[in-house]
Amino acid sequence: MTTIDSYSHGASGEREFGCAQAIRVDHTIYVSGRLPHDEEGEFLAPGDFDAQAEQVSANFEKVLAHYGATRNQVVSETQYIVDLPRYSDAMAAANLAYFGDHRPTSSTIGVAHLFFPAQLIETNVVVDTRLPA
């Protein structure tokens, strides 16, 4: 039997967009694009790539903790970056800092805009809880 568990912060925007922060289907967790926002859904660090990347990582940790998962169980990530040529080195450094020796698959897409006008990064991941934490 398939089990499904949806997780939301209750932050502004979740109801309006009809989405969850994450959904677990059996052993796989699909995490929505993480933004640099606080618990209330307020956008943080306009125009500061490093601070935004750090906040995105912190927001991943909250979602993973809800499911008892860790970053070592992330199997795939997709990153959307505004002005990718400018921020590619910073993005790589943030990724290495977050994942350490763990190496999930990764796709990086340069985009013209994200939801918030000063937003520079959005990342989503897929997690397999059968992997060692």
Side-chain angles (χ1 to χ4, degrees), residues 6-92:
S6 178
Y7 171 68
S8 293
H9 292 304
S12 173
E14 289 178 345
R15 290 176 300 282
E16 292 86 342
F17 285 98
C19 65
Q21 297 294 318
I23 188 167
R24 180 177 58 195
V25 180
D26 292 330
H27 300 287
T28 305
I29 304 166
Y30 303 90
V31 183
S32 292
R34 297 294 73 228
L35 312 177
H37 63 78
D38 63 14
E39 287 293 324
E40 289 76 41
E42 296 296 318
F43 178 74
L44 301 174
D48 183 337
F49 186 89
D50 292 333
Q52 287 187 25
E54 186 175 316
Q55 186 62 43
V56 165
S57 295
N59 290 341
F60 271 126
E61 289 301 305
K62 292 173 191 169
V63 174
L64 294 174
H66 170 79
Y67 289 108
T70 73
R71 65 187 79 179
N72 292 329
Q73 294 168 305
V74 172
V75 294
S76 178
E77 71 170 342
T78 304
Q79 299 183 357
Y80 303 91
I81 309 292
V82 174
D83 198 357
L84 181 57
R86 178 177 179 188
Y87 295 113
S88 63
D89 289 343
M91 183 228 32

Side-chain angles (χ1 to χ4, degrees), residues 98-113:
Y98 183 71
F99 286 113
D101 292 333
H102 179 61
R103 296 289 184 261
T105 65
S106 181
S107 296
T108 303
I109 302 165
V111 298
H113 306 283

Side-chain angles (χ1 to χ4, degrees), residues 121-133:
I121 182 172
E122 183 168 337
T123 306
N124 67 294
V125 299
V126 177
V127 179
D128 188 333
T129 60
R130 295 171 294 190
L131 296 175

